[in-house]
Amino acid sequence: MTVSFYGHVRQYHNIKAEIDANMAEVLESGQYVMGPMLKKFEKEFAAYNGTKYAVGVGNGTDAIWLSLMALGVGPGDECITTTNTFFATAEAIWIAGATAVFVDSDPVTNCIDPAKIEAAITPKTKAIVPVHLYGQCADMKAIRKIADKYKLLVVEDNAQGIGAAGDGFRIAELSDATCTSFIIQKNLGTFGDGGAVVTNNPEVDRIIRKLRNHGSGKRSCHSYGFNSRLDDLHAAILSAKLKHIDEWNDLRRKWAARYTAGLKGAKSFTLPTELPGYRHVFHLYVIETKQAAHRDPLLDYLNKNGIDAKCHYPIAIHQQEGYPWGKQARIVGSIANSERNAACCITLPIYPELTEAEVDYTIAKTLEWDSQQG
Ligand SMILES: *Cc1c(COP(=O)(O)O)cnc(C)c1O
């Protein structure tokens, strides 16, 4: 048996009629860029997130740096974040011209550890950029408290957590801007690239609307800007898919629960933890080997048995070639948890369209390797 890492084509087949109808509507309309389908999707996406505004952009990375820029973060400013995340979190801070300051992650959730943030705050600190890693919310209540105390901005990297919630808070409720990626592999993904910013701040919405479109608010009039738009064809696909996101996240949660029940006796690795009161949407189901030396052998074993397991993210940002890029980065304190996460992580296949047989086969092979360890 083989278990693939993605279910994109299965997902397309499941709702083909809805996607095709939406795309045909755009194709027949003659309006493909900044047209009515984008407006419709932005409205639906704001409603889904419970925010006043949503603005579509070219991708998730742009969503982050455009948010930082719209909030006035730039050269000379520092943004506090983590290194055990996709490279784009820091890349976006750098594109905005700011410095990334890395603190450690929480050993249980692998999201930023709020207790490590205060030690990293300097007079230059302008923003905190938490990542809702793997689909579980960072502790936004604690982060908001620190932000209020030091008058800092908060920009959520929500590329992985659409539809997630915390204990008594929603995503986008406690921040200045929240950034989403719609690249195909995300929980809500288009057939290509896309992104969005959701916010309750009318200025952030207004400024990003101009920045994404060559600094233009009115035809032929331009101020400083770029080209980073969400095409109407992508909006059409996303509008069709948005109707299914809660049901798809529920299926991800179902498969995660099945993995966790099946694997809980294992001795050589630990399983992801859902915090009480949280809704984890399992963008990724990441186990961690107890010994770093066990990671690659287990990964190889799964791959050899036809299971396309991967690692997210085996090379933390500060371990990447080119770090510290433009000297715009610094680490504060020990980041041992982030480094352990990078060294020990293995991602098992998880997506709504998995079958029970595929999940059970993956569990069986993972346990088989575990049973062979001393
Ligand atoms: C996917 C991702 C991004 C970047 O999104 P793109 O749409 O690929 O630019 C940023 N941060 C995190 C945590 C991601 O997973």
Side-chain angles (χ1 to χ4, degrees), residues 58-62 64 85-89 131-133 157-160 180-183 185-186 193-195 283 313:
N59 55 67
T61 310
D62 288 2
I64 301 170
T85 166
F86 183 60
F87 191 71
T89 308
V131 182
H132 304 313
L133 196 73
D157 179 342
N158 189 35
Q160 305 190 358
T180 305
S181 165
F182 299 128
I183 192 170
Q185 61 262 38
K186 300 295 158 71
D193 276 302
H283 171 59
Y313 296 91

Side-chain angles (χ1 to χ4, degrees), residues 118 156 251:
E118 281 197 75
E156 292 173 72
L251 282 166

Side-chain angles (χ1 to χ4, degrees), residues 22 25 36-54 162 182 188 198 234-243 245:
N22 269 16
E25 189 181 324
M37 188 59 88
L38 174 63
K39 277 207 190 73
K40 173 173 178 273
F41 174 67
E42 285 177 339
K43 228 172 152 180
E44 292 166 353
F45 196 61
Y48 181 80
N49 284 279
T51 54
K52 288 193 184 127
Y53 311 99
I162 180 152
F182 299 128
L188 178 64
V198 295
H234 288 306
I237 295 159
L238 291 164
S239 176
K241 287 193 173 193
L242 183 62
K243 295 185 176 71
I245 186 67

